[in-house]
Amino acid sequence: MNSIPQLADWHLLSDKVQQPVSNDAELAALTQYAPIIISDDEPTMARLYEMILKRKGFRSVTVPDAREALAFCRRQPVSLVISDMMKPFMNGLEFLRELRTDPLSQAIPFLMVTATPRPEIEREFFELGGNGYVVKPMQLELLMQVIYRLLQLQMIPA
């Protein structure tokens, strides 16, 4: 169902990458065409993500409501979704489930960030085709490593 590998599969891709993409400029160029979507209803967290991504030259669009973020993902190219788990109207798992059912959005890498980790939620997340799962409070370095890996997956030749 999901053509973007999970982070656990990253090591299996190393021989498929003809020219490793670790250049910030190349990844930033990807996000200029296909922005990173931030779907977090907590304004402080959304601003933190925006600031971190902007500092690296990445373009992001904040869409707090997952229903609106889903519509955005179906209208135009998106390089990555960063979503909180607990949100009103549609939680992160419901957002991912809907994203994966639509051929226009099913291959978008999805990073879940949660303050309430539960093994059953994490298991369901990966079963639905989620790609990265980070627990708050998180180290910014870890968050950026996951974001880089997920963006790099977009650059791997088919």
Side-chain angles (χ1 to χ4, degrees):
M1 175 166 72
N2 181 8
S3 63
I4 302 294
Q6 297 173 4
L7 284 180
D9 298 327
W10 178 249
H11 68 281
L12 300 174
L13 296 171
S14 60
D15 55 338
K16 289 185 179 180
V17 180
Q18 294 164 353
Q19 293 181 328
V21 179
S22 58
N23 183 330
D24 283 2
E26 291 180 41
L27 295 177
L30 169 67
T31 67
Q32 298 311 307
Y33 166 74
I36 297 171
I37 299 303
I38 300 168
S39 185
D40 194 317
D41 62 317
E42 176 58 46
T44 304
M45 288 305 298
R47 280 194 303 275
L48 175 66
Y49 299 140
E50 289 171 0
M51 182 185 71
I52 293 166
L53 294 169
K54 185 176 183 179
R55 195 176 318 152
K56 294 292 185 182
F58 299 155
R59 180 174 165 237
S60 64
V61 175
T62 298
V63 188
D65 186 321
R67 299 169 302 180
E68 293 174 18
L70 182 62
F72 187 99
C73 291
R74 289 175 171 161
R75 280 194 315 270
Q76 72 176 64
V78 170
S79 61
L80 172 66
V81 170
I82 300 173
S83 177
D84 187 29
M85 175 58 195
M86 304 301 288
K87 295 189 289 201
F89 308 116
M90 178 185 282
N91 70 34
L93 286 179
E94 294 165 335
F95 179 18
L96 175 61
R97 184 178 292 115
E98 288 297 314
L99 201 67
R100 294 298 184 243
T101 62
D102 187 335
L104 295 175
S105 61
Q106 67 184 1
I108 298 170
F110 197 100
L111 169 59
M112 180 80 73
V113 182
T114 183
T116 54
R118 296 198 332 245
E120 64 275 12
I121 299 289
E122 185 175 357
R123 185 173 33 260
E124 184 177 359
F125 171 76
F126 284 110
E127 287 172 359
L128 288 170
N131 307 96
Y133 190 89
V134 177
V135 177
K136 296 177 195 174
M138 70 272 187
Q139 296 178 352
L140 293 181
E141 188 175 309
L142 170 65
L143 178 66
M144 285 311 300
Q145 286 175 357
V146 174
I147 289 170
Y148 270 94
R149 286 184 178 159
L150 292 176
L151 289 174
Q152 287 172 334
L153 290 174
Q154 294 285 62
M155 306 284 285
I156 293 175

